Amino acid sequence: NDGALTHALMHPKHHIEKTYRVWVNKPLGFHQRAKAMRGIPNQGETLRFKTIDEGVHTRQGVIHTITLEEGKNRHIRRMMEHFDRKVFRLQRTHIGTLELDDLKPGEWRRAKPAELKRLRTLLDKKSVDSDEE
C-alpha cells in the first residue's frame, strides 16, 4: 500500500535490479548475449541486460534468466524482438532484494517488515550513489 515505495522501485531512474525468467522460441547465442549486455539502440534509447544466462532448453523453447538495472517499458520484449526472438512468457522473480518465492499466478502475500526495510535501505543507497555521480 506504499505508492511512493512502489514508484521508486519500479522507476528506471533508480536502477533497482529486476530479475526475470523469460520463455522464448530460441536461445540467444554467445555474441547476441554479449551485444545485449553492451546495449542496443531502440526507439531513441539504449536498452541493455545487466546479465543473461545461456538458457535452459525445454520442449516449448528456451528459458533465459535476465537481470535488468533499469526496466524501461517493454524492455525485454523490445530487446528480444531486436534479436528476432518471440517471447512467450515473462515472470519477474526478483525486485531488488525481494524474491517471488513459490507464489503461484494470482497469489499474493504481504511483504514482511524486514523485506520492506531492506528495500528502503537499497533505495536510500541508490539515492546516495546517484548523488555522488
Side-chain angles (χ1 to χ4, degrees):
N1 296 342
D2 188 333
L5 176 63
T6 301
H7 176 74
L9 289 171
M10 300 312 293
H11 199 285
K13 76 176 183 179
H14 295 287
H15 299 275
I16 300 298
E17 288 185 6
K18 295 159 192 77
T19 302
Y20 297 82
R21 258 187 236 125
V22 183
W23 285 255
V24 293
N25 59 331
K26 54 187 176 179
L28 289 180
F30 175 82
H31 295 292
Q32 292 167 320
R33 291 192 315 270
K35 184 175 182 179
M37 289 191 297
R38 284 191 308 272
I40 59 164
N42 185 280
Q43 299 177 9
E45 53 192 358
T46 300
L47 303 176
R48 67 179 46 86
F49 296 151
K50 180 174 184 184
T51 65
I52 178 171
D53 69 359
E54 292 181 23
V56 176
H57 295 265
T58 69
R59 286 184 300 218
Q60 293 82 24
V62 177
I63 304 170
H64 283 289
T65 300
I66 296 171
T67 302
L68 306 177
E69 274 191 316
E70 293 182 303
K72 297 174 181 171
N73 186 36
R74 299 183 53 83
H75 192 134
I76 291 173
R77 291 184 189 278
R78 289 163 51 194
M79 288 191 72
M80 288 300 188
E81 186 177 279
H82 174 84
F83 294 109
D84 196 31
R85 299 300 187 271
K86 179 173 174 36
V87 175
F88 299 118
R89 182 177 175 207
L90 277 172
Q91 179 185 42
R92 187 182 304 128
T93 60
H94 295 80
I95 299 175
T97 57
L98 189 62
E99 187 174 355
L100 179 63
D101 297 326
D102 58 355
L103 290 176
K104 306 289 183 252
E107 288 184 333
W108 64 276
R109 68 169 176 79
R110 292 192 185 279
K112 298 170 187 161
E115 292 171 326
L116 293 171
K117 183 178 179 180
R118 283 194 304 270
L119 289 171
R120 288 187 178 99
T121 300
L122 178 63
L123 280 168
D124 289 344
K125 181 182 178 338
K126 291 287 186 174
S127 176
V128 168
D129 290 347
S130 67
D131 290 344
E132 291 175 357
E133 290 175 2

